[in-house]
Amino acid sequence: MISDRIRPRRWLHLPIETKARELDAKMLLACSAAERGWGAIIGGKNVLRKFQMHLPQGVFVEKNIGPRQAAQFAFNRKQGNRVAAWCEEGLTYFSKPSFFRLKFDEKAFASVDYAFAWGPWQRDAIVSQRGRGDSKIITCGNPRLDMLRPEMRSFYAANVSELRRVHKRIILINTNFSGYNLNSTESFKELLRRTGKLTDKATEVFADSYVAFQECMFGHFTEVLPALSNAFPHHTIVVRPHPSEGHRAWDAIASPHANVKVIFEGSAIDWILASEVLIQNNCTTGAEAFLLKSPCISYRPLTDSDFDDELINGLGHTAANLPELIEMTRAIAEGRDPATDDQKAAWEKLALLHMSALEGRFACERILDHLEQLELPLSADKFFAGTLAMEARVLLRNFLWSLGHFGNKEYTRQKFSGITREEMNDILMRFRRATGRFEGLSVERIATDLYCVYCK
């Protein structure tokens, strides 16, 4: 048993909901913790939460502090764990009031030991809407920002090279229309209601308006695909839908055009680095492209102050209509950068307002500095007490999924398709090559979609 080889230590629990967005960054945090002597348990959110009673006590790092989280945090604590959290979507949102209404719950906040903010803007959003500050709100960035730093470029090099080999010259379109084009049997409003986010009439009106805005924007983007296909016949136009979006509508639009492909695989960062230009609307990948020094265009044929994101629209080029988008894309593809020095300076200033730990020590290290201040039990012997029970319940869950009797299986599986041992070891090896660190670490499988990262 693995537990026979693991001495007592502090434990970090890292649940993952959206694999493409979270896995690499949380694996970096896991490795950074293991390098300090922690053990880290990382895997699918549902598996890790269901079976946490079989795992050693430690600190859970949760993905948000929103509605419905209070009960989860209380359960974590009942099992003898501590709780920290950040908002996985806290980098981009419509406004401070809407963020507070949809993404922040006071009762859940009361249960966390630390709330990690992406940057000063998000910290101020929490403080201003609460009407008071709190010492447990820590502005330290996020592991996803660490993955975008220059020091990590070589982590992506092999994948980027392969994407360019296969697809040649790439124009990337990252979509963000799950409000209208949700990959689910339920509507966006039904999803919000089920997750406890439709709490009053104002929120319901806001949600209706948001869906209407996304429907209009989706229509504009359906015109972009054939226009780019015709204007750039020697490029591959890659549509990468948001993890929560359906693909069928995009497939239907792309199918008549030989050089347009709808692809949802791998990390968005791989695709951004492999492309000549990214086109998006109010998508976090716009901020990611800025930090990666990759050209990005915010396509904004429709604007609405309630839904347009200040950060994303302020970190790159903007096109207001289709001819302007084509011309700007052509200029970038031909190596003619339309940005002025004044624009670039303004972009840098805005980035620093929203994102911390872009230089100096990684966000992972700053987060661990605080987690190490918590009183945590040193544990090893509880490990795997329920491994067989865990495996049996995972198999039952997968069987029910296959029958379509367990929630919205298509929506869930698209966001989290599972993790293999080979993937985890590949990530660890790429981290070693990129950083020169983590040589003494091991990754061991605990159960289906659940892994342990530790230093022997």
Side-chain angles (χ1 to χ4, degrees), residues 338-386:
T340 66
D341 290 341
D342 286 345
Q343 283 179 315
K344 293 177 181 178
W347 297 347
E348 292 284 350
K349 183 178 180 180
L350 182 62
L352 292 175
L353 177 63
H354 286 259
M355 297 178 281
S356 296
L358 299 182
E359 295 180 340
R361 299 176 72 237
F362 275 20
C364 284
E365 305 300 340
R366 303 177 195 217
I367 289 168
L368 289 168
D369 287 346
H370 287 87
L371 297 183
E372 288 182 341
Q373 296 176 27
L374 299 175
E375 291 186 10
L376 295 171
L378 300 181
S379 176
D381 58 349
K382 188 179 180 182
F383 222 33
F384 304 105

Side-chain angles (χ1 to χ4, degrees), residues 141-157:
N142 187 279
R144 284 170 59 191
L145 297 179
D146 292 344
M147 296 300 303
L148 301 169
R149 287 177 45 155
E151 301 96 306
M152 299 301 296
R153 290 295 186 276
S154 61
F155 176 84
Y156 305 102

Side-chain angles (χ1 to χ4, degrees), residues 289-344:
F290 172 77
L291 295 179
L292 293 169
K293 308 298 182 186
S294 297
C296 175
I297 303 172
S298 292
Y299 183 47
R300 303 181 66 196
L302 174 68
T303 62
D304 190 315
S305 59
D306 284 337
F307 308 120
D308 285 324
D309 188 279
E310 172 190 346
L311 176 65
I312 302 305
N313 295 322
L315 284 184
H317 305 291
T318 297
N321 54 59
L322 199 50
E324 190 175 335
L325 177 66
I326 297 297
E327 179 53 35
M328 190 171 291
T329 302
R330 191 180 308 281
I332 293 172
E334 293 175 356
R336 296 181 284 114
D337 186 355
T340 66
D341 290 341
D342 286 345
Q343 283 179 315
K344 293 177 181 178

Side-chain angles (χ1 to χ4, degrees), residues 4-302:
D4 295 335
R5 305 197 298 272
I6 300 182
R7 65 182 184 275
R9 63 188 70 206
R10 291 168 296 188
W11 289 93
L12 186 65
H13 299 280
L14 299 171
I16 294 173
E17 180 177 64
T18 304
K19 177 182 174 180
R21 181 167 63 188
E22 301 171 41
L23 177 57
D24 291 344
K26 287 186 174 175
M27 183 61 172
L28 179 61
L29 180 57
C31 290
S32 300
E35 190 177 53
R36 292 182 178 213
W38 291 62
I41 298 173
I42 179 172
K45 175 189 71 175
N46 293 329
V47 174
L48 200 158
R49 287 181 176 174
K50 273 188 173 296
F51 309 125
Q52 69 183 69
M53 68 285 295
H54 299 302
L55 301 171
Q57 295 171 343
V59 55
F60 271 73
V61 179
E62 296 285 357
K63 63 160 291 196
N64 66 59
I65 317 172
R68 297 184 71 195
Q69 290 296 85
Q72 178 61 49
F73 295 172
F75 180 73
N76 289 344
R77 288 188 172 278
K78 185 178 180 180
Q79 297 297 318
N81 297 289
R82 307 297 289 268
V83 180
W86 59 62
C87 180
E88 200 69 52
E89 298 176 341
L91 184 60
T92 59
Y93 37 85
F94 316 121
S95 65
K96 291 180 180 179
S98 68
F99 165 75
F100 197 74
R101 187 166 61 241
L102 297 172
K103 303 291 185 182
F104 188 93
D105 180 78
E106 190 68 42
K107 187 176 180 181
F109 178 74
S111 296
V112 302
D113 294 288
Y114 291 111
F116 297 115
W118 289 74
W121 201 96
Q122 188 193 11
R123 177 202 61 211
D124 292 347
I126 297 173
V127 171
S128 64
Q129 294 301 308
R130 295 183 75 235
R132 62 193 186 280
D134 195 301
S135 60
K136 65 184 178 184
I137 304 172
I138 310 298
T139 307
C140 59
N142 187 279
R144 284 170 59 191
L145 297 179
D146 292 344
M147 296 300 303
L148 301 169
R149 287 177 45 155
E151 301 96 306
M152 299 301 296
R153 290 295 186 276
S154 61
F155 176 84
Y156 305 102
N159 289 347
V160 169
S161 178
E162 179 63 12
L163 291 176
R164 288 175 175 167
R165 184 191 69 79
V166 173
H167 302 290
K168 309 303 187 239
R169 302 182 69 182
I170 300 170
I171 295 173
L172 178 64
I173 302 174
N174 277 338
T175 69
N176 184 30
F177 305 122
S178 56
Y180 171 70
N181 185 36
L182 186 67
N183 180 39
S184 175
T185 55
E186 59 187 352
S187 70
F188 182 71
K189 279 186 64 178
E190 289 169 338
L191 176 64
L192 291 181
R193 184 173 290 109
R194 178 170 58 78
T195 54
K197 295 175 182 176
L198 285 186
T199 56
D200 52 37
K201 184 63 176 178
T203 308
E204 189 155 348
V205 170
F206 183 86
D208 286 333
S209 299
Y210 178 60
V211 171
F213 174 81
Q214 287 230 318
E215 182 177 5
C216 289
M217 192 62 71
F218 182 90
H220 284 292
F221 267 73
T222 63
E223 298 173 353
V224 168
L225 301 190
L228 287 176
S229 176
N230 292 331
F232 300 94
H234 302 298
H235 281 73
T236 302
I237 317 301
V238 174
V239 180
R240 191 177 189 278
H242 185 276
S244 298
E245 270 195 79
H247 295 180
R248 294 184 182 88
W250 293 117
D251 288 335
I253 299 164
S255 61
H257 310 284
N259 65 331
V260 179
K261 300 180 180 180
V262 180
I263 305 175
F264 182 77
E265 59 184 37
S267 165
I269 300 174
D270 291 335
W271 287 99
I272 293 170
L273 288 171
S275 67
E276 295 183 7
V277 59
L278 165 66
I279 299 169
Q280 55 76 38
N281 178 272
N282 290 311
C283 182
T284 306
T285 53
E288 293 175 335
F290 172 77
L291 295 179
L292 293 169
K293 308 298 182 186
S294 297
C296 175
I297 303 172
S298 292
Y299 183 47
R300 303 181 66 196
L302 174 68

